[in-house]
Amino acid sequence: LTVLSLPINHQTILLTGAASGIGRALLRALVSRYTGLTIVAADRDGPGLTAVLDQLPVTPANRVLPVVGDLADPAVIDQVFA
């Protein structure tokens, strides 16, 4: 069983580290494979996160909400759950 075989259509996902590495790869895979997702894509690297989001296919099937900041900061946590 792999993560991408789970039935997660129409769910909300908080994805950390979305600007690079595994987080970026997972974000791309989620957007291309599933529909109806709301993905909160968080990373400390604002320019990197913007670059990744600019490369995603534009589709009304999913919403990707960027959050820039360190999730150890309570103010950023408040922004995630606002």
Side-chain angles (χ1 to χ4, degrees):
L1 179 69
T2 65
V3 171
L4 295 180
S5 68
L6 296 174
I8 61 171
N9 289 324
H10 307 288
Q11 300 294 316
T12 299
I13 297 170
L14 171 59
L15 180 62
T16 62
S20 63
I22 294 169
R24 178 180 57 207
L26 186 54
L27 177 60
R28 289 177 177 163
L30 289 168
V31 167
S32 67
R33 178 154 182 178
Y34 294 99
T35 59
L37 295 178
T38 298
I39 303 169
V40 180
D43 204 287
R44 294 179 292 181
D45 178 5
L49 184 58
T50 298
V52 170
L53 296 180
D54 287 346
Q55 295 171 2
L56 292 178
V58 176
T59 172
N62 296 303
R63 288 186 339 153
V64 180
L65 308 172
V67 174
V68 176
D70 188 340
L71 292 177
D73 180 345
V76 176
I77 295 296
D78 289 342
Q79 181 184 359
V80 167
F81 291 101

